[in-house]
Amino acid sequence: MTTESPRHTVEKIGGTSMSRTEELLDTVLIGNRKGADLYHRIFVVSAYAGMTDDLLEHKKSGKPGVYALFASAESGWGWGDALSAVADKMFAHNERVFSDEGARQSANRFARERIEGVRSCLIDLQRLCSFGHFQLGQHLLTVREMLASLGEAHSAFNTALLLNLNGVRARMIDLTGWRDEAQYSLDEAIERALADVDLSTELPIVTGYAQCKEALMGTYDRGYSEVTLSRLTVVTGAREAIIHKEFHLSSADPRLVSPEAVRVIGETNYDVADQLSNMGMEAIHPRAAKSLRQAGIPLRVKNAFEPEHPGTVIRSDLDAQSPQVEIVTGLRQVYAFEFYDQDMVGVKGYDAEILEALKRHKVWIIAKTSNANTITHYLKGSMKAIKRVEADLSATFPTADISLRKIALVSAIGRDLRSPRVLTQAIQALSAAGIEPLGVHDLLRKVDLQVIVEPDQFEATIAALHKGLIEDWATAPQPKLHAAA
């Protein structure tokens, strides 16, 4: 890879934004840029919105896609019909994107080649695994990665083609491993793919999925495109990573708090980004952020459709100048999984068994509390998976009393919440709004304050904490501190 000053950026576009192709050309991809200003950038693109859901399974509802149908022995040829439906969806998207007949046919040929190549591979694998020496389960991760790669390859090819039609010298950089004869580490794959790219005169469009020895989906599942972004940024020595979303990173969801009261976060650090990820509001996958943090490279989160706005800068070396909450967010549906056993006092092993069961059934832990004979985990996952955890633990600990209830969890997050005023004002704000919390977690790390409430009080809690801890923070009276007797 060759480049000239200034140092380049590596930028990722999410799936929802990718689907607004025409708008992206006018904002992020081209906009008012001309000549050299079009280059010194590398773009990592996600699949168009909904495409990965159709290829794997729906991220929220769990509706089976091609992968889930193929993995199910009962599905028969259902996966083949689902794959054909994905092809039709790709062709329909190409119809919307390309007015030029030749370009549309080129895009369709590319999509058809990839779809039919995967179809042939899956038919051969299904036939092979009909023999007892070959077990389908041993190949499912590879199948999942291959199917996921179709979405990113489709969007990357289209984006590069569209840019070339608009006078930009763009090139698709295919990291999906399609027909590669060898396998490389992620860093090696990046270096090889960009070896002959001149960033001063070319605009690389990189697939968000990268096939590599690390098997990204095994660790990050559908967060793989952000890992590709972070390693591209580090390996190529970029000055900044940028993620383009369809919204700003703001102090609260403007659908829950008055839009006039919500403010865009100008800057924060990776500690805050990690807490947001834990609440399901990812600025970037925490393991992807680790590479950027260690390299000292800032991440900028921007609204793809407000290109003039600087967005939010996340840095590893940024401390708060004073204690203050920066964002209030949360999860409307969380399960409080309470494990009680009178025999627990002073006995080791309970915690390990519970954690192992949660890991085995792939249930996400958001928070945890414990006392002498009770351990409570606050969980995100399907009720079916949590019920399996409950069954496993009931068999292991027959004397335990296990209960499960739905709650909502709201978190006030900031770089520095060490002031006792944060907790005091939070309680006052909740009281003023008539909200009685089920619990409050104020940890020693002092980057978040968690409030547990009934699910029907979720929105009111968000609004109350935002008003008390962000809108009214500067003008609220300081609590009186009494000297010890």
Side-chain angles (χ1 to χ4, degrees), residues 11 48 51 98 111 113 123 130 132-133 156 197 199-200 248 311 330 347 388 409 417:
E11 311 186 22
Y48 296 116
M51 202 69 74
F98 297 105
E113 178 196 353
I123 290 172
S130 67
H133 292 82
V197 173
L199 291 182
S200 66
H248 286 295
V347 179
R388 287 172 179 164
L409 195 151
L417 305 185

Side-chain angles (χ1 to χ4, degrees), residues 251-289:
S251 57
D253 186 338
R255 294 170 299 182
L256 304 180
V257 175
S258 169
E260 291 75 23
V262 171
R263 61 195 68 173
V264 178
I265 299 172
E267 59 180 13
T268 190
N269 63 18
Y270 283 110
D271 278 349
V272 169
D274 287 347
Q275 299 307 318
L276 289 175
S277 177
N278 192 48
M279 288 290 109
M281 186 182 171
E282 280 192 5
I284 186 171
H285 192 288
R287 294 196 184 182

Side-chain angles (χ1 to χ4, degrees), residues 194-357:
L194 294 174
D196 63 343
V197 173
D198 183 353
L199 291 182
S200 66
T201 59
E202 290 181 284
L203 189 60
I205 307 299
V206 184
T207 57
Y209 169 77
Q211 204 277 332
C212 57
K213 290 179 180 178
E214 292 90 335
L216 297 184
M217 291 200 77
T219 301
Y220 307 100
D221 197 48
R222 289 167 69 164
Y224 53 79
S225 62
E226 292 174 359
V227 180
T228 304
L229 166 79
S230 68
R231 291 315 304 168
L232 262 168
T233 304
V234 174
V235 170
T236 64
R239 62 179 171 82
E240 187 175 70
I242 301 174
I243 293 180
H244 298 280
K245 295 181 177 288
E246 66 277 11
F247 52 81
H248 286 295
L249 192 58
S250 303
S251 57
D253 186 338
R255 294 170 299 182
L256 304 180
V257 175
S258 169
E260 291 75 23
V262 171
R263 61 195 68 173
V264 178
I265 299 172
E267 59 180 13
T268 190
N269 63 18
Y270 283 110
D271 278 349
V272 169
D274 287 347
Q275 299 307 318
L276 289 175
S277 177
N278 192 48
M279 288 290 109
M281 186 182 171
E282 280 192 5
I284 186 171
H285 192 288
R287 294 196 184 182
K290 181 178 178 181
S291 292
L292 299 175
R293 185 199 298 248
Q294 290 178 337
I297 299 175
L299 167 69
R300 189 180 297 272
V301 180
K302 295 193 66 174
N303 185 323
F305 307 103
E306 294 186 25
E308 302 305 319
H309 196 289
T312 304
V313 178
I314 301 172
R315 290 167 33 196
S316 57
D317 59 349
L318 189 66
D319 295 323
Q321 296 181 345
S322 61
Q324 187 171 355
V325 170
E326 298 172 44
I327 185 168
V328 178
T329 185
L331 292 167
R332 187 185 301 270
Q333 182 169 296
V334 175
Y335 294 100
F337 186 85
E338 186 177 85
F339 181 98
Y340 166 82
D341 195 331
Q342 189 66 52
D343 297 332
M344 188 189 301
V345 184
V347 179
K348 297 179 180 179
Y350 284 88
D351 226 350
E353 287 285 352
I354 297 171
L355 291 173
E356 180 57 35

Side-chain angles (χ1 to χ4, degrees), residues 137-153:
Q138 297 174 357
H139 305 283
L140 284 180
L141 178 59
T142 302
V143 170
R144 187 172 178 83
E145 293 197 329
M146 181 172 62
L147 284 166
S149 73
L150 290 177
E152 271 79 19

Side-chain angles (χ1 to χ4, degrees), residues 66 76-85 119:
V66 180
W77 182 248
W79 68 265
D81 294 335
L83 188 59
S84 296
R119 191 192 306 274

Side-chain angles (χ1 to χ4, degrees), residues 347-383:
V347 179
K348 297 179 180 179
Y350 284 88
D351 226 350
E353 287 285 352
I354 297 171
L355 291 173
E356 180 57 35
L358 291 169
K359 180 181 179 181
R360 184 164 56 248
H361 295 291
K362 299 179 180 179
V363 178
W364 180 263
I365 303 170
I366 301 166
K368 169 187 169 183
T369 59
S370 64
N371 58 24
N373 49 25
T374 306
I375 301 174
T376 303
H377 286 86
Y378 298 90
L379 308 174
K380 181 182 178 184
S382 70
M383 175 65 82

Side-chain angles (χ1 to χ4, degrees), residues 172-193:
M172 175 188 177
I173 302 296
D174 190 355
L175 296 181
T176 67
W178 187 255
R179 302 194 186 282
D180 280 358
E181 296 181 356
Q183 192 175 60
Y184 306 96
S185 70
L186 178 55
D187 287 4
E188 289 171 339
I190 290 169
E191 289 171 347
R192 289 174 59 86

